[in-house]
Amino acid sequence: MSDIDSIVEEIQKAEPLITASRTQQVKHLILRLQEKIGQHDNRQFYLFKVLRAHILPLTNVAFNKSGSSFITGSYDRTCKVWDTASGEELHTLEGHRNVVYAIQFNNPYGDKIATGSFDKTCKLWSAETGKCYHTFRGHTAEIVCLAFNPQSTLVATGSMDTTAKLWDIQSGEETMTLTGHSAEIISMSFNTMGDRLITGSFDHTVSVWEIPSGRRIHTLIGHRGEISSAQFNWDCSLIATASMDKSCKLWDSLNGKCVATLTGHEDEVLDVTFDSAGQLVATASADGTARVYSAASRKCLAKLEGHEGEISKICFNAQGNRILTASADKTSRLWDPHTGECLQVLKGHTDEIFSCAFNYEGNTIITGKFSLQ
């Protein structure tokens, strides 16, 4: 256990607003946090519901912040909203004229949903009623990724037309177009302040944009293959990029310099993620393995072996003590990130699993398979 008095003292030095009268309250919160971190999580998951969600294959799944509801996108041109506890379908979001590919809640609020489609449009919906607020038109090719800013005032879309666009949630107007990539944009992420946006492209580069000016601050150049994923760490000091060149790179987000190349995979790296504390980096690869690296030392801490097919998706739970992987071998697996031990194999799907997610509490998992059944 850390010395709580010295922790509180440090916090009060850094935060003048936390006065002496709040000392006991802060101590209480730190104690609760230590208890939470110290808990051993031996939870086993069981198959709770199988939802025949769509008549055509799924494209993506996503939870709202609390995990009380989730959404599924599909080749059937719809997005569906589901109640997690009951498995009941709450809404079918209809109106797109082609595949609904990119979907997201405006977490942490969770009252809006954005859907990006191969019909070149993005739509904004009410999560409560299923009503469509806006249809964002302007891209000249398929929309394949999107992101809300943390303040939930903007939604960004990335397209096969090589551009990203930002849209005002209130007015429905386009606020800017970000140009500079020479191939499709397939990954995007805001930092926690909402004043930076990163876009990863098949042109082998990642761009860092200043918001709201739209100025490109850095171009992260160094990968020799298409970018598959790009993410900020918790304090936005680092950016992790995964590439088809079999590597993951870490970049200093302030100066745009590459600080490490994480190697070891024998095939394309398809996904990368940080844990919530920004201490660990996890990668998923077409070689059927996942790896966990220290963000500080850049050393490989664990190799997650056991899948018999490529791993397309990897994520930490919010607590950072579990990793979830989705694989083409029709299983998802739960891992200990520190030891690399496989804790559970989640079976039941009859086709490759391409998407998976934890809810915030870490006690519910959704997995999506690519199938016509």
Side-chain angles (χ1 to χ4, degrees):
M1 296 282 272
S2 303
D3 178 359
I4 289 178
D5 288 324
S6 61
I7 292 173
V8 172
E9 206 175 304
E10 277 183 45
I11 291 171
Q12 287 176 325
K13 275 182 197 165
E15 284 292 342
L17 291 174
I18 301 175
T19 57
S21 65
R22 297 286 181 192
T23 300
Q24 287 308 118
Q25 193 179 347
V26 174
K27 276 187 188 177
H28 175 65
L29 290 170
I30 291 170
L31 272 170
R32 282 183 57 193
L33 183 61
Q34 285 184 328
E35 282 168 17
K36 185 96 174 160
I37 292 167
Q39 284 172 0
H40 292 289
D41 186 358
N42 299 315
R43 180 185 292 115
Q44 288 284 301
F45 290 85
Y46 65 95
L47 184 59
F48 172 57
K49 285 267 192 316
V50 178
L51 304 175
R52 309 292 175 193
H54 296 268
I55 55 170
L56 289 176
L58 292 184
T59 55
N60 260 308
V61 295
F63 272 115
N64 66 353
K65 174 92 180 204
S66 68
S68 60
S69 61
F70 66 92
I71 48 178
T72 54
S74 171
Y75 275 75
D76 70 8
R77 306 180 178 189
T78 71
C79 174
K80 288 180 187 276
V81 188
W82 305 84
D83 179 81
T84 307
S86 67
E88 180 191 350
E89 182 185 318
L90 300 175
H91 304 292
T92 299
L93 311 181
E94 295 180 289
H96 281 295
R97 298 185 174 186
N98 208 326
V99 175
V100 174
Y101 192 76
I103 58 174
Q104 203 170 97
F105 277 101
N106 64 329
N107 290 334
Y109 308 101
D111 63 332
K112 294 183 180 68
I113 295 163
T115 55
S117 171
F118 286 3
D119 69 8
K120 308 173 191 174
T121 73
C122 173
K123 288 179 181 284
L124 185 72
W125 313 79
S126 163
E128 305 298 317
T129 65
K131 175 191 167 192
C132 181
Y133 291 125
H134 303 295
T135 299
F136 304 128
R137 292 184 174 87
H139 281 296
T140 57
E142 295 92 330
I143 293 173
V144 290
C145 57
L146 56 82
F148 282 99
N149 69 339
Q151 296 80 14
S152 197
T153 56
L154 297 170
V155 63
T157 52
S159 170
M160 303 281 275
D161 66 12
T162 77
T163 73
K165 289 179 183 286
L166 270 67
W167 313 85
D168 185 287
I169 282 176
Q170 282 302 113
S171 67
E173 298 297 316
E174 179 185 324
T175 63
M176 72 183 71
T177 298
L178 307 177
T179 58
H181 283 295
S182 58
E184 52 262 47
I185 294 171
I186 54 85
S187 177
M188 54 178 23
S189 175
F190 280 97
N191 68 349
T192 49
M193 296 290 287
D195 61 353
R196 297 284 184 274
L197 174 72
I198 50 175
T199 53
S201 170
F202 272 15
D203 67 9
H204 305 185
T205 73
V206 172
S207 292
V208 184
W209 309 87
E210 184 181 68
I211 307 299
S213 72
R215 186 171 64 93
R216 181 154 64 170
I217 304 167
H218 304 298
T219 303
L220 311 184
I221 299 172
H223 279 296
R224 298 186 310 279
E226 294 94 333
I227 304 296
S228 57
S229 181
Q231 299 287 327
F232 280 104
N233 69 341
W234 72 285
D235 68 354
C236 306
S237 60
L238 287 176
I239 295 167
T241 55
S243 169
M244 304 301 187
D245 68 9
K246 307 180 187 177
S247 79
C248 170
K249 288 181 184 286
L250 295 180
W251 311 77
D252 184 313
S253 68
L254 290 179
N255 61 25
K257 299 254 184 342
C258 180
V259 294
T261 300
L262 309 180
T263 57
H265 283 297
E266 294 168 7
D267 207 337
E268 300 167 345
V269 181
L270 301 176
D271 197 20
V272 63
T273 186
F274 284 100
D275 71 339
S276 55
Q279 296 173 341
L280 301 175
V281 185
T283 55
S285 172
D287 67 13
T289 72
R291 288 171 183 261
V292 182
Y293 300 85
S294 162
S297 72
R298 286 88 196 234
K299 287 189 170 70
C300 182
L301 305 177
K303 191 175 176 184
L304 315 184
E305 297 178 288
H307 278 298
E308 294 170 9
E310 71 174 34
I311 303 172
S312 58
K313 184 72 181 170
I314 189 164
C315 57
F316 282 93
N317 63 353
Q319 296 74 26
N321 60 3
R322 293 292 179 265
I323 283 176
L324 182 64
T325 52
S327 171
D329 69 5
K330 307 173 189 174
T331 72
S332 260
R333 286 177 180 246
L334 202 63
W335 312 80
D336 183 314
H338 301 286
T339 65
E341 179 191 358
C342 179
L343 302 172
Q344 196 176 350
V345 181
L346 306 176
K347 297 178 178 176
H349 282 299
T350 54
D351 279 282
E352 65 180 81
I353 304 172
F354 63 90
S355 190
C356 60
F358 280 104
N359 67 341
Y360 189 68
E361 275 293 305
N363 60 5
T364 306
I365 287 168
I366 46 174
T367 56
K369 73 168 183 173
F370 189 93
S371 169
L372 290 171
Q373 276 101 40

PDB file of all heavy atoms in Angstrom, residues 20-29:
ATOM      1  N   ALA A  20      -7.582  21.986   2.535  1.00  0.00           N
ATOM      2  CA  ALA A  20      -7.416  21.121   3.717  1.00  0.00           C
ATOM      3  C   ALA A  20      -8.740  20.500   4.157  1.00  0.00           C
ATOM      4  O   ALA A  20      -8.772  19.365   4.654  1.00  0.00           O
ATOM      5  CB  ALA A  20      -6.802  21.928   4.854  1.00  0.00           C
ATOM      6  N   SER A  21      -9.829  21.233   3.965  1.00  0.00           N
ATOM      7  CA  SER A  21     -11.138  20.706   4.387  1.00  0.00           C
ATOM      8  C   SER A  21     -11.562  19.472   3.592  1.00  0.00           C
ATOM      9  O   SER A  21     -12.455  18.726   3.995  1.00  0.00           O
ATOM     10  CB  SER A  21     -12.208  21.799   4.244  1.00  0.00           C
ATOM     11  OG  SER A  21     -12.367  22.149   2.875  1.00  0.00           O
ATOM     12  N   ARG A  22     -10.913  19.254   2.446  1.00  0.00           N
ATOM     13  CA  ARG A  22     -11.258  18.110   1.587  1.00  0.00           C
ATOM     14  C   ARG A  22     -10.312  16.916   1.797  1.00  0.00           C
ATOM     15  O   ARG A  22     -10.461  15.891   1.145  1.00  0.00           O
ATOM     16  CB  ARG A  22     -11.189  18.523   0.112  1.00  0.00           C
ATOM     17  CG  ARG A  22     -12.191  19.600  -0.280  1.00  0.00           C
ATOM     18  CD  ARG A  22     -13.578  19.030  -0.365  1.00  0.00           C
ATOM     19  NE  ARG A  22     -14.559  20.028  -0.752  1.00  0.00           N
ATOM     20  CZ  ARG A  22     -15.865  19.842  -0.682  1.00  0.00           C
ATOM     21  NH1 ARG A  22     -16.335  18.710  -0.206  1.00  0.00           N
ATOM     22  NH2 ARG A  22     -16.698  20.781  -1.054  1.00  0.00           N
ATOM     23  N   THR A  23      -9.353  17.061   2.710  1.00  0.00           N
ATOM     24  CA  THR A  23      -8.319  16.029   2.873  1.00  0.00           C
ATOM     25  C   THR A  23      -8.921  14.656   3.172  1.00  0.00           C
ATOM     26  O   THR A  23      -8.555  13.653   2.548  1.00  0.00           O
ATOM     27  CB  THR A  23      -7.334  16.426   3.993  1.00  0.00           C
ATOM     28  OG1 THR A  23      -6.720  17.660   3.633  1.00  0.00           O
ATOM     29  CG2 THR A  23      -6.257  15.361   4.191  1.00  0.00           C
ATOM     30  N   GLN A  24      -9.830  14.592   4.130  1.00  0.00           N
ATOM     31  CA  GLN A  24     -10.417  13.300   4.513  1.00  0.00           C
ATOM     32  C   GLN A  24     -11.175  12.653   3.353  1.00  0.00           C
ATOM     33  O   GLN A  24     -11.118  11.437   3.150  1.00  0.00           O
ATOM     34  CB  GLN A  24     -11.344  13.469   5.724  1.00  0.00           C
ATOM     35  CG  GLN A  24     -10.610  13.701   7.031  1.00  0.00           C
ATOM     36  CD  GLN A  24      -9.537  12.652   7.309  1.00  0.00           C
ATOM     37  OE1 GLN A  24      -8.354  12.974   7.405  1.00  0.00           O
ATOM     38  NE2 GLN A  24      -9.947  11.394   7.395  1.00  0.00           N
ATOM     39  N   GLN A  25     -11.871  13.498   2.601  1.00  0.00           N
ATOM     40  CA  GLN A  25     -12.639  12.997   1.460  1.00  0.00           C
ATOM     41  C   GLN A  25     -11.696  12.379   0.407  1.00  0.00           C
ATOM     42  O   GLN A  25     -11.961  11.295  -0.125  1.00  0.00           O
ATOM     43  CB  GLN A  25     -13.428  14.151   0.841  1.00  0.00           C
ATOM     44  CG  GLN A  25     -14.503  13.700  -0.141  1.00  0.00           C
ATOM     45  CD  GLN A  25     -15.260  14.902  -0.712  1.00  0.00           C
ATOM     46  OE1 GLN A  25     -15.149  16.020  -0.215  1.00  0.00           O
ATOM     47  NE2 GLN A  25     -16.022  14.661  -1.752  1.00  0.00           N
ATOM     48  N   VAL A  26     -10.591  13.059   0.140  1.00  0.00           N
ATOM     49  CA  VAL A  26      -9.619  12.557  -0.833  1.00  0.00           C
ATOM     50  C   VAL A  26      -8.999  11.254  -0.338  1.00  0.00           C
ATOM     51  O   VAL A  26      -8.832  10.298  -1.102  1.00  0.00           O
ATOM     52  CB  VAL A  26      -8.517  13.618  -1.116  1.00  0.00           C
ATOM     53  CG1 VAL A  26      -7.424  13.041  -2.010  1.00  0.00           C
ATOM     54  CG2 VAL A  26      -9.119  14.855  -1.763  1.00  0.00           C
ATOM     55  N   LYS A  27      -8.670  11.205   0.975  1.00  0.00           N
ATOM     56  CA  LYS A  27      -8.115   9.974   1.559  1.00  0.00           C
ATOM     57  C   LYS A  27      -9.075   8.797   1.368  1.00  0.00           C
ATOM     58  O   LYS A  27      -8.673   7.681   1.005  1.00  0.00           O
ATOM     59  CB  LYS A  27      -7.845  10.171   3.057  1.00  0.00           C
ATOM     60  CG  LYS A  27      -6.531  10.821   3.373  1.00  0.00           C
ATOM     61  CD  LYS A  27      -6.308  10.791   4.878  1.00  0.00           C
ATOM     62  CE  LYS A  27      -5.078  11.625   5.243  1.00  0.00           C
ATOM     63  NZ  LYS A  27      -4.885  11.682   6.696  1.00  0.00           N
ATOM     64  N   HIS A  28     -10.348   9.068   1.630  1.00  0.00           N
ATOM     65  CA  HIS A  28     -11.381   8.024   1.503  1.00  0.00           C
ATOM     66  C   HIS A  28     -11.441   7.498   0.063  1.00  0.00           C
ATOM     67  O   HIS A  28     -11.502   6.286  -0.169  1.00  0.00           O
ATOM     68  CB  HIS A  28     -12.734   8.597   1.924  1.00  0.00           C
ATOM     69  CG  HIS A  28     -13.887   7.661   1.713  1.00  0.00           C
ATOM     70  ND1 HIS A  28     -14.016   6.467   2.404  1.00  0.00           N
ATOM     71  CD2 HIS A  28     -14.950   7.725   0.854  1.00  0.00           C
ATOM     72  CE1 HIS A  28     -15.106   5.848   1.989  1.00  0.00           C
ATOM     73  NE2 HIS A  28     -15.696   6.587   1.055  1.00  0.00           N
ATOM     74  N   LEU A  29     -11.379   8.427  -0.914  1.00  0.00           N
ATOM     75  CA  LEU A  29     -11.440   8.020  -2.323  1.00  0.00           C
ATOM     76  C   LEU A  29     -10.212   7.204  -2.724  1.00  0.00           C
ATOM     77  O   LEU A  29     -10.322   6.226  -3.461  1.00  0.00           O
ATOM     78  CB  LEU A  29     -11.568   9.266  -3.215  1.00  0.00           C
ATOM     79  CG  LEU A  29     -12.909   9.996  -3.148  1.00  0.00           C
ATOM     80  CD1 LEU A  29     -12.830  11.332  -3.885  1.00  0.00           C
ATOM     81  CD2 LEU A  29     -14.035   9.152  -3.721  1.00  0.00           C
TER      82      LEU A  29
END
